[in-house]
Amino acid sequence: MRTPPDSFDTQLSVQELDPARPRLLETPWGPMALFIDAGEVLCVQAFCPHLEGPLFQGSVAGGAVSCPWHYWRFDLRSGRRIGLVGAVLPGSDTLRRCRVSFDPRGAIVLHAPSLS
């Protein structure tokens, strides 16, 4: 069994991202989505932990993304669920997030996801 790498070069620059639409990526750790919020590139898991709704198709406002299926809302920086929607339903309260950095060419590099 092969261990996933600690980092992943997306080969994408910030200029290739659309601030109005998250970018779905297949990574060594599964599907992740790139968001731009207040000029910052952020990366969280692409599907909602509740029922696998497509977070990468959700609405983004105020540094948070809302799942289009059941409106669970998550802070893009902390990964934590915010609000009361779904408070008593099964599913994780935290998204997996990747730290984002840039290589010398300016390409976006993702680092292995965490829940903290």
Side-chain angles (χ1 to χ4, degrees), residues 6 31 58 67 71 80 100 102:
D6 291 335
C67 180
Y71 306 106
R80 297 194 189 280
V100 175
F102 300 89

Side-chain angles (χ1 to χ4, degrees), residues 14-66:
V14 174
Q15 293 77 17
E16 295 176 82
L17 301 180
D18 180 351
R21 298 189 60 172
R23 175 80 172 249
L24 176 64
L25 289 175
E26 190 56 48
T27 75
W29 316 290
M32 302 296 282
L34 293 175
F35 296 81
I36 297 181
D37 183 63
E40 184 179 1
V41 178
L42 303 164
C43 181
V44 300
Q45 68 190 61
F47 293 91
C48 185
H50 174 221
L51 291 174
E52 297 294 317
L55 283 176
F56 67 94
Q57 294 176 348
S59 60
V60 179
V65 61
S66 296

Side-chain angles (χ1 to χ4, degrees), residues 72-75 79-88 92-94:
W72 281 35
R73 195 159 186 245
F74 296 89
D75 182 282
R80 297 194 189 280
R81 186 170 52 81
I82 51 180
L84 295 175
V85 174
V88 296
S92 174
D93 285 337
T94 308

